[in-house]
Amino acid sequence: MRILQPPGWPRPRGYANGVAARGELVFVAGMIGWDTDGIFQTTDITGQVRQALRNVVAVLAEAGAEPAHIVRMTWYVTDVDAYLQASQEIGAAFREIIGSFTAAMTAVEVSRLVEPDAKVEIEVTAVIPESVSEAQS
């Protein structure tokens, strides 16, 4: 994976402007903060982010991918103010579950998500490096 940082641009905090990678592509649908039984264990955004990230990791594992293979994330949040207020706790959950690496990321506030109780939905694209993909074949 190669981080794309145009010369002279300020370095973004917590994400990359772009990422280039080669290998097997893995697309993870929008994961929300419910558990494996489809139940929300919490209504707070940090708890839902934590569970949504766990769900992302579980889907990645099905493809033989790891969080370090994530190259792009899109976050849909229903309340950007709540997201910003919880940014330290969300960042800690991210580092605990995903790790500290840089992916191209976008966060967008939406008026609602399909699941009414969801406060966040996270989509992911990952690239399993060619050497890892070939070893798994």
Side-chain angles (χ1 to χ4, degrees), residues 17-32:
N17 290 307
V19 176
R22 290 185 184 185
E24 181 180 3
L25 297 173
V26 179
F27 301 94
V28 179
M31 294 289 111
I32 58 176

Side-chain angles (χ1 to χ4, degrees), residues 5 39-40 48 57-58 61 67 71 84 97 109 113 124-126:
Q5 178 68 23
I39 297 169
F40 288 97
Q48 288 196 13
V57 170
V71 295
L84 292 172
I97 298 163
E109 181 179 53
L113 297 164
V124 167
T125 303

Side-chain angles (χ1 to χ4, degrees), residues 29-101:
M31 294 289 111
I32 58 176
W34 58 19
D35 63 18
T36 57
D37 294 320
I39 297 169
F40 288 97
Q41 297 295 327
T42 182
T43 58
D44 77 88
I45 190 164
T46 302
Q48 288 196 13
V49 164
R50 182 177 296 281
Q51 184 61 52
L53 292 173
R54 286 186 188 123
N55 296 343
V56 164
V57 170
V59 174
L60 288 173
E62 284 297 305
E66 302 172 359
H69 297 140
I70 296 170
V71 295
R72 186 175 200 302
M73 300 181 92
T74 303
W75 295 49
Y76 303 95
V77 298
T78 58
D79 183 344
V80 75
D81 291 328
Y83 171 80
L84 292 172
Q85 287 174 344
S87 64
Q88 287 188 334
E89 294 86 7
I90 289 171
F94 185 92
R95 287 185 298 279
E96 173 192 326
I97 298 163
I98 301 297
S100 59
F101 70 96

Side-chain angles (χ1 to χ4, degrees), residues 83-134:
Y83 171 80
L84 292 172
Q85 287 174 344
S87 64
Q88 287 188 334
E89 294 86 7
I90 289 171
F94 185 92
R95 287 185 298 279
E96 173 192 326
I97 298 163
I98 301 297
S100 59
F101 70 96
T102 307
M105 296 177 72
T106 301
V108 180
E109 181 179 53
V110 294
S111 61
R112 68 181 277 229
L113 297 164
V114 172
E115 184 59 44
D117 293 330
K119 297 186 188 279
V120 63
E121 186 166 337
I122 303 171
E123 285 181 342
V124 167
T125 303
V127 178
I128 303 172
E130 291 172 344
S131 58
V132 174
S133 296
E134 291 167 5

